[in-house]
Amino acid sequence: MSTTAAPTVSTFPKLAAEEAAAFVHHGETVGFSGFTPAGAPKVVPTAIAGLAKEEHAAGRDYKIGVVTGASTGASLDGALAEADAVAFRTPYQSDPLLRKRINAGQARFFDLHLSLLPQNVRYGFLGPVHVAVVEASNVSADGQITLTSSVGTSPTFCQLADKVIVELNRHHPPELLGFHDVYEPASPPHRREIPIYSASDRVGTPTIQVDPAKIVGVVENDAPDEVGAFAETDEVTKQIGRNVADFLAAEIKSGLIPAEFLPIQSGVGNIANAVLGEMGEHPDIPPFEMYTEVIQNSVISLIQNGKIKFASGCSLTVTPDVLATIYADLEAYRSKLLLRPQEITNHPELVRRLGIISINTAIEVDIFGNANSTHVMGRSMMNGIGGSGDFTRNAYLSIFTCPAAVKGGKISTIVPAVSHQDHNEHSVQVIITDQGVADLRGKSPKERARTIVDQCADPSYRDQLHGYFDRLPDTHTPQTLSAAFAFHEQFMATGDMRGVDWGQHFKN
């Protein structure tokens, strides 16, 4: 494969961001590139937000449907939310202002498994895509777009949109040609198997091919990805990481995981970074591959020290200094990194075939093994389900991690019943907190409950959880609806889940 970047040509009109924004009209749906802030457009969305403010000031309506790969940065989700320009949003978000509008009912949000978003768009389930705004490191005269630090759903948006606006971002080198593997499955009934058999296999093309007639213009800029640093690991997150690493090493030793190990999928955030860090240091875990969504700083560190052999993902969500390190030595990373569409990174067929070990973070887990990834107290959306469901349902081994308690011990993440369920007991195999490991495989509901409380709950909550379980009827899945959410009710009333009076809840 040639990795020589064809020079950008002046075939397409060069537009100011405000000129490009004028192509986006009230009531239209816009597909933006990006998966996390990596690869998300920066200047055109901000200009669209400015246009919305102007229209509102003139007494005219202006809102658009916003569809992306996953979350984005402040200059996209944040700017559009601040301008009250979001009619609906899918499939995932993490901006504080947009989240506030969603939870206040001021912006419609519908949560989707990330693997489903591209095909739902192609099937027409979300209506037409009027405009695609895509960040690129290069675009050729014949419409070949070389992406930047992510792929997301960009190929699908470019295929279906009536108009394509290219943000040509000079912060990313045109020599990125070859770091992307662009592939879209055919739609049923013509779909065939996806021929990926290892994390490093390539099945597509290095660029997105767009009809040049659809490209209305190019907006040049030099804005860096708005990727912030995650919180430093602390003793709790490090202990979670050690527990995960020790568990996986024991699984290898027992023969339940092949000795050569299996590809790893890891979620996003400080716990995920801590888990990968501890896996990298464990002497009994061999060098491994990643087949995941988000490639974070910890993955790059483990590539550098030889612990990760290859990383396939959807985005390079790394801090600016780490991205600069990669860009300074592209040839060294060209054989170590590959970015794909989220439909491929998260595809159930591939997750099952490759035997991926999935490691994701939960907000809370109940004593029967159901997990909540999305809602606080059952009603306030945090970010969305993301890809955790794609991987959990199809993994060789599915693991959920969380601290046993948060907010200074005022909230137990192990509860009698989750306040919102994203992953049920049929899919969750292992729960790991800083307190220990609950292996739920082959266990009945009652056995799961005892194991989770004894192994994973914070010590300050164990007696309280046992007090609930010991009062339950002797049924297959013992549960009492009048008391199941007593932890949550206690917190809403007092700001602390501790001190539930079970006698009051079970008096009838």
Side-chain angles (χ1 to χ4, degrees):
M1 177 192 304
S2 172
T3 57
T4 302
T8 303
V9 296
S10 58
T11 301
F12 309 109
K14 289 187 178 180
L15 303 175
E18 292 74 19
E19 293 174 310
F23 284 97
V24 179
H25 305 119
H26 168 65
E28 292 187 333
T29 296
V30 183
F32 293 96
S33 66
F35 193 97
T36 73
K42 287 87 174 169
V43 296
V44 174
T46 301
I48 294 172
L51 175 60
K53 290 180 179 179
E54 292 175 5
E55 291 294 286
H56 295 162
R60 293 185 290 266
D61 292 334
Y62 190 97
K63 288 190 177 185
I64 60 173
V66 179
V67 188
T68 65
S71 58
T72 66
S75 59
L76 201 164
D77 275 334
L80 292 173
E82 193 271 333
D84 193 20
V86 180
F88 73 85
R89 180 71 169 89
T90 195
Y92 187 88
Q93 53 72 46
S94 62
D95 182 81
L97 183 53
L98 179 57
R99 182 188 302 123
K100 184 178 180 180
R101 286 195 176 275
I102 290 168
N103 285 320
Q106 297 168 345
R108 292 193 298 119
F109 176 73
F110 43 97
D111 201 5
L112 280 178
H113 296 291
L114 296 187
S115 70
L116 291 178
L117 187 275
Q119 71 176 35
N120 281 5
V121 172
R122 281 198 306 274
Y123 296 167
F125 293 173
L126 305 185
V129 177
H130 299 94
V131 183
V133 183
V134 180
E135 183 180 86
S137 62
N138 201 30
V139 55
S140 64
D142 61 351
Q144 293 187 60
I145 296 174
T146 302
L147 297 169
T148 61
S149 48
S150 72
V151 179
T153 310
S154 299
T156 303
F157 295 150
C158 287
Q159 172 194 333
L160 297 179
D162 301 322
K163 294 171 286 191
V164 176
I165 299 168
V166 177
E167 275 203 14
L168 188 61
N169 192 323
R170 301 300 188 183
H171 189 78
H172 303 275
E175 290 79 13
L176 284 176
L177 180 68
F179 274 85
H180 311 90
D181 187 43
V182 177
Y183 178 86
E184 287 188 279
S187 294
H190 307 292
R191 180 167 291 182
R192 296 291 305 273
E193 70 281 0
I194 301 172
I196 292 176
Y197 308 103
S198 69
S200 58
D201 283 351
R202 293 174 178 266
V203 295
T205 59
T207 61
I208 300 173
Q209 179 64 64
V210 178
D211 179 357
K214 296 205 304 184
I215 300 178
V216 298
V218 172
V219 181
E220 296 193 32
N221 69 92
D222 189 28
D225 286 338
E226 298 167 328
V227 177
F230 291 109
E232 291 293 324
T233 57
D234 55 21
E235 186 51 40
V236 171
T237 55
K238 285 181 69 68
Q239 187 58 54
I240 293 171
R242 286 191 288 266
N243 289 344
V244 171
D246 288 343
F247 171 74
L248 292 176
E251 291 287 286
I252 296 172
K253 185 176 182 180
S254 69
L256 294 177
I257 292 177
E260 62 269 33
F261 210 37
L262 291 168
I264 297 295
Q265 175 267 329
S266 177
V268 182
N270 60 327
I271 293 179
N273 272 321
V275 168
L276 288 174
E278 294 299 324
M279 288 176 60
E281 293 181 7
H282 202 291
D284 297 328
I285 294 180
F288 57 91
E289 295 183 332
M290 296 284 294
Y291 194 90
T292 191
E293 292 176 325
V294 175
I295 296 171
Q296 300 187 106
N297 283 13
S298 55
V299 176
I300 304 304
S301 297
L302 293 177
I303 287 175
Q304 291 169 343
N305 67 24
K307 193 70 174 191
I308 289 180
K309 299 181 290 183
F310 191 90
S312 168
C314 193
S315 73
L316 268 175
T317 306
V318 296
T319 51
D321 59 320
V322 173
L323 189 63
T325 298
I326 295 170
Y327 285 175
D329 197 4
L330 281 176
E331 292 311 310
Y333 288 95
R334 199 177 293 279
S335 62
K336 302 292 185 182
L337 296 173
L338 189 60
L339 300 180
R340 310 180 191 271
Q342 66 200 72
E343 185 173 20
I344 304 304
T345 60
N346 295 34
H347 202 288
E349 172 193 347
L350 301 175
V351 175
R352 185 71 62 90
R353 177 186 298 145
L354 297 176
I356 290 171
I357 297 171
S358 71
I359 308 170
N360 291 288
T361 304
I363 291 175
E364 62 181 1
V365 179
D366 69 28
I367 61 176
F368 301 108
N370 303 294
N372 169 17
S373 298
T374 59
H375 286 72
V376 175
M377 296 294 145
R379 62 187 183 186
S380 295
M381 168 63 69
M382 280 296 293
N383 302 328
I385 195 169
S388 56
D390 296 325
F391 290 98
T392 298
R393 282 291 302 273
N394 301 285
Y396 182 96
L397 183 62
S398 62
I399 299 171
F400 274 92
T401 62
C402 55
V406 295
K407 301 294 184 184
K410 294 179 180 179
I411 294 178
S412 172
T413 61
I414 308 300
V415 294
V418 288
S419 58
H420 176 92
Q421 185 180 119
D422 294 295
H423 316 279
N424 64 40
E425 62 186 87
H426 308 296
S427 303
V428 180
Q429 294 175 296
V430 181
I431 297 168
I432 299 179
T433 71
D434 52 300
Q435 297 299 313
V437 177
D439 185 349
L440 309 182
R441 291 171 293 180
K443 289 183 170 62
S444 70
K446 288 186 282 189
E447 291 170 326
R448 286 198 294 268
R450 294 291 187 194
T451 301
I452 291 170
V453 173
D454 291 341
Q455 301 300 321
C456 290
D458 187 85
S460 65
Y461 283 96
R462 284 181 190 159
D463 287 346
Q464 196 164 305
L465 287 163
H466 279 301
Y468 173 77
F469 186 79
D470 291 343
R471 290 174 169 83
L472 294 175
D474 189 15
T475 60
H476 172 66
T477 302
Q479 191 66 281
T480 297
L481 298 181
S482 62
F485 298 110
F487 273 33
H488 302 89
E489 292 176 350
Q490 177 80 1
F491 180 81
M492 297 297 287
T494 69
D496 196 320
M497 284 186 173
R498 292 168 291 199
V500 172
D501 182 358
W502 292 123
Q504 291 296 316
H505 289 278
F506 285 90
K507 61 184 177 182
N508 295 324

